[in-house]
Amino acid sequence: MLRQTVLLFGPPGSGKGTQAKRLEQHLRATHVSTGDMFREHLSRHNELGRKIEHIMRSGQLVPDAVTNEMVRERLLCPDVALGTLLDGFPRNIPQARWLETFLAGRGYGIRGVVVMNVPREQLIGRLKSRAIKEGRADDADDGVIRRRLDTYAAQTEACIGFYESVRVAVHPIDGVGSVDEITRRVLTALGTA
Ligand code: AMP
């Protein structure tokens, strides 16, 4: 069962994935990234992959019903028993409410919310260079980059207010600096440094 859940928030390009891989070991939590899960479905060209291809390539959010069901199945797997580091979920208030209900139904809450902050101009630069390096189609195009950043500002930032309102600790982190420095900032904020 889920003992502790840490949520990692931050706009695309803020370094969530990089930090999550490092934090996994420090926090003894399993990294669950909805973006990685969706990309895996895309690369397998399975039914879900075909359904979400257009949505992902245009920088929009996959519908909540599809996303929540994928997360539900993942969070019921035994390897997340000791803890979960959720990266990229929830992305909007309905997903946040769904997660509250899911965790509460199992007697668990959210240990903390980490928010990675990086200036927009830097995010755009990082996303463009990532698109070239990794061939990530959803990172490639200027319009798509802007749409993904706007979606974060319009829908995902609202989740931060939601967690404050239900008294979950929210930790804003300066996401500019070396990878090590940022990991230290997160661990200090969570009280595990
Ligand atoms: P990410 O790597 O987290 O930026 O996610 C890449 C893409 O996957 C997003 O632009 C969305 O199309 C989709 N995605 C990831 N997480 C979610 C989510 N929680 N809700 C809806 N769509 C998501």
Side-chain angles (χ1 to χ4, degrees), residues 106-118:
R106 286 157 184 80
Y108 299 114
I110 291 167
R111 173 175 166 188
V113 176
V114 171
V115 184
M116 309 272 294
N117 293 316
V118 174

Side-chain angles (χ1 to χ4, degrees), residues 119-155:
R120 189 174 168 108
E121 286 319 304
Q122 280 199 37
L123 293 171
I124 294 172
R126 288 185 190 183
L127 289 169
K128 283 188 177 167
S129 60
R130 179 161 88 188
I132 295 162
K133 268 195 236 137
E134 297 176 16
R136 277 171 62 157
D138 59 342
D139 283 352
D141 162 299
D142 276 0
V144 172
I145 288 176
R146 270 199 301 277
R147 191 166 314 128
R148 293 177 72 212
L149 294 176
D150 292 346
T151 302
Y152 180 84
Q155 300 192 44

Side-chain angles (χ1 to χ4, degrees), residues 34-35 38-39 56 60-62 67 88-89 91 95 148:
T34 45
F38 283 134
R39 275 184 289 278
M56 282 187 73
Q60 294 166 298
L61 294 183
V62 174
T67 307
F89 185 90
R91 278 285 228 281
Q95 291 182 6
R148 293 177 72 212

